Amino acid sequence: GIFKYDDGTIYPLGSGQDDCGINNNCDAIMSIIRYQDEILVNVFEDSIGGVAVGGFLARWDGSAWHDMEGIEENIGGWVMEFNIFEEELYAMGRFRMLFENIPDTVYSIVKWNGDEWPDVDFPFTWALNMITINSSVIFDGALYIGGRFYDPVTGTKGVARFDGETWEIVGGGIKGTWG
């Protein structure tokens, strides 16, 4: 579940994550971030606090949970990371999008525009389109990400930098199977 610490006391947000959902996994909060005075979470279940979350994303407004539609995770993927870069919310991981006309399209990074999650052009690849972004940090005015991807031109992999317009692998990348 998700809890709030306030002056020595711990409180659940709403009624918390209830009845363990479809995956029978009550501790399945994959990622969490504060964005525009709300808490956004990626839950690996179909509900939180009694509220159905069709896209497995929920938001807490300070008093109640609400569904935040857009990313479909029950078919091959999940949001592993949120970050805010240049005042815009990014979701990263490996997932498909709800209402997508191309059902086999898998995304690794999308950006919230207030109504939907358009894809962010990501020039790297991985075998069988299994790109996964596991972590991110904002450093020196750029978004850095880590995960399973590589540059098909140079073969370098694992860590990339985004300046808002251009992606590049950092240094020589990471050696090893996963990058």
Side-chain angles (χ1 to χ4, degrees), residues 2-13:
I2 299 177
F3 297 86
K4 170 185 172 182
Y5 178 81
D6 186 15
D7 197 28
T9 306
I10 298 174
Y11 304 94
L13 295 186

Side-chain angles (χ1 to χ4, degrees), residues 31-145:
S31 50
I32 184 169
I33 193 168
R34 180 182 175 174
Y35 179 68
Q36 295 182 345
D37 294 325
E38 295 185 324
I39 303 281
L40 305 181
V41 296
N42 166 240
V43 295
F44 193 58
E45 296 300 341
D46 58 354
S47 66
I48 186 167
V51 176
V53 285
F56 289 75
L57 296 178
R59 60 185 178 81
W60 174 258
D61 66 7
S63 60
W65 287 107
H66 304 276
D67 183 26
M68 185 174 188
E69 292 186 10
I71 297 177
E72 181 178 18
E73 300 186 31
N74 56 347
I75 329 176
W78 51 88
V79 172
M80 299 291 291
E81 179 80 349
F82 289 113
N83 213 323
I84 299 169
F85 176 59
E86 296 182 344
E87 300 182 25
E88 295 182 295
L89 175 66
Y90 287 79
M92 295 159 272
R94 187 175 74 83
F95 41 82
R96 290 186 170 91
M97 303 303 291
L98 283 174
F99 314 116
E100 187 66 44
N101 293 329
I102 308 168
D104 292 329
T105 301
V106 178
Y107 298 93
S108 54
I109 182 167
V110 293
K111 177 173 58 174
W112 180 247
N113 68 12
D115 295 314
E116 59 187 4
W117 296 91
D119 185 31
V120 174
D121 185 31
F122 190 68
F124 309 120
T125 189
W126 195 263
L128 303 174
N129 202 19
M130 298 292 281
I131 298 166
T132 304
I133 297 173
N134 300 317
S135 58
S136 70
V137 66
I138 307 301
F139 177 72
D140 201 21
L143 172 64
Y144 287 77
I145 60 166

Side-chain angles (χ1 to χ4, degrees), residues 151-172:
D151 183 334
V153 175
T154 66
T156 54
K157 59 187 171 184
V159 180
R161 176 183 181 275
F162 182 57
D163 64 9
E165 294 183 22
T166 307
W167 286 100
E168 65 181 351
I169 295 288
V170 177

